[in-house]
Each structure stands twice: as C-alpha cells, then as structure tokens.
C-alpha cells in the first residue's frame, strides 16, 4: 500500500507543462536541423547558377531571385569545344528541397550529355525519357530549353 497522496489537479497540470516544454524543446531542435538542411540545399542550389560568361563571341549574365530559399530552377552555360556553347535553362514545378534536388539531377544529366557532344534535340529527347523513367510518379514537371 502506498502512503503517497493521490495526484491532484495541480500535479496533472504540472505534468502537462513538463510535457509541453519537452515537446517545444524537441520542436526547436527539429526546426534547427531543418533550417541547417535548407541552408545547405540553398547553397547547393546556388552553385548551379553560372558566373557571368565573358568570351570574345558571347557575353552571358545570370540574375536569379528566388521566391523561397530553394527552388527548382537552374541554368548553365557550357562550352563543349572552342566553337560550341550550350546554354540551358530548367524550371521544375514547385519550390523546396524536392524540386531543388530534381533541378540538380537534371543539371548533372545535361552536363554529361553535353560532354558527349550530343546535339540539343538529342539531349532534350534523352532528358525527357530520363524524367519519365525515374520521376514520373513524383508529380513534378519541368520546363527545359537548350
């Protein structure tokens, strides 16, 4: 038999306050982690944007003003040889880490095909197949021009 008095309403309230404080602390930790991940994603996303290109035949300047920290946009300017310049622009639907990751993946896929010196029409065809094969179920779409 216990000699302790039964819990009172005050004890229940105090226990609820402790639970709320614990949940708030866990929420702050999760938010801090998410903010760090979002900052890293924004940094990676920003690295997709080229610096200004100055060549004797072409000058290209890029200006990007994101609506949110991370979006699904990118562009690139690449020379596959001294006489061939590829300029590509991509916009994945939506904002956030998912569209940003897809834009990063598209960028690497396009870079690979440019390095193989494929023509723009072939790159678009291959990219369309790649997106349909690997990302159709995501519900994300993209606009791409090269």
């Amino acid at each position: 038999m216990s000699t302790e008095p039964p819990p009172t309403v005050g004890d229940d309230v105090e226990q609820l306050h402790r639970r709320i404080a614990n949940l708030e602390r866990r929420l702050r930790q999760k938010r801090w982690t998410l903010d760090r991940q979002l900052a890293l994603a924004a940094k990676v996303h920003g690295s997709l944007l080229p610096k200004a290109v100055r060549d004797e035949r072409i000058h290209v300047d890029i200006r990007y003003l994101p609506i949110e920290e991370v979006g699904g946009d990118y562009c690139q300017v690449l020379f596959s040889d001294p006489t061939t310049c590829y300029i590509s622009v991509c916009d994945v639907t939506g904002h956030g880490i998912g569209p940003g990751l897809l834009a990063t993946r598209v960028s690497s896929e396009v870079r690979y095909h440019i390095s193989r010196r494929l023509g723009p029409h072939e790159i678009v065809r291959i990219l369309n197949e790649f997106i349909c094969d690997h990302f159709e179920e995501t519900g994300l779409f993209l606009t791409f021009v090269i």
Side-chain angles (χ1 to χ4, degrees):
M1 230 186 218
S2 174
T3 58
E4 290 185 26
T8 65
V9 171
D11 292 337
D12 289 342
V13 169
E14 182 59 33
Q15 184 179 18
L16 285 174
H17 282 295
R18 282 194 303 273
R19 283 188 66 198
I20 290 169
N22 184 42
L23 289 171
E24 287 174 339
R25 182 182 48 76
R26 289 175 52 200
L27 183 60
R28 280 191 305 276
Q29 290 172 338
K30 292 283 187 188
R31 181 65 194 187
W32 183 81
T33 300
L34 181 59
D35 286 346
R36 286 184 54 219
Q37 291 174 351
L38 197 54
L40 176 58
K43 187 173 185 84
V44 170
H45 183 255
S47 74
L48 293 175
L49 302 173
K51 304 292 184 234
V53 174
R54 297 289 179 256
D55 184 82
E56 61 188 41
R57 295 153 295 161
I58 187 171
H59 288 195
V60 179
D61 288 302
I62 286 45
R63 181 173 174 103
Y64 177 67
L65 302 171
I67 293 174
E68 295 182 22
E69 292 91 345
V70 180
D73 309 310
Y74 90 88
C75 65
Q76 58 190 354
V77 179
L78 295 170
F79 288 88
S80 62
D81 60 57
T83 62
T84 308
C85 178
Y86 289 82
I87 299 174
S88 61
V89 178
C90 178
D91 180 12
V92 178
T93 57
H95 304 280
I97 293 175
L101 282 171
L102 183 53
T104 302
R105 184 63 183 97
V106 168
S107 174
S108 70
E109 190 72 16
V110 171
R111 283 178 173 273
Y112 169 71
H113 294 300
I114 289 172
S115 75
R116 295 176 56 215
R117 296 185 182 187
L118 298 181
H121 65 285
E122 206 167 357
I123 292 173
V124 169
R125 183 187 58 74
I126 291 169
L127 183 61
N128 188 59
E129 288 176 8
F130 175 77
I131 295 299
C132 289
D133 288 348
H134 297 282
F135 299 101
E136 185 174 29
E137 76 284 351
T138 66
L140 295 173
F141 298 95
L142 61 91
T143 303
F144 176 80
V145 64
I146 187 167

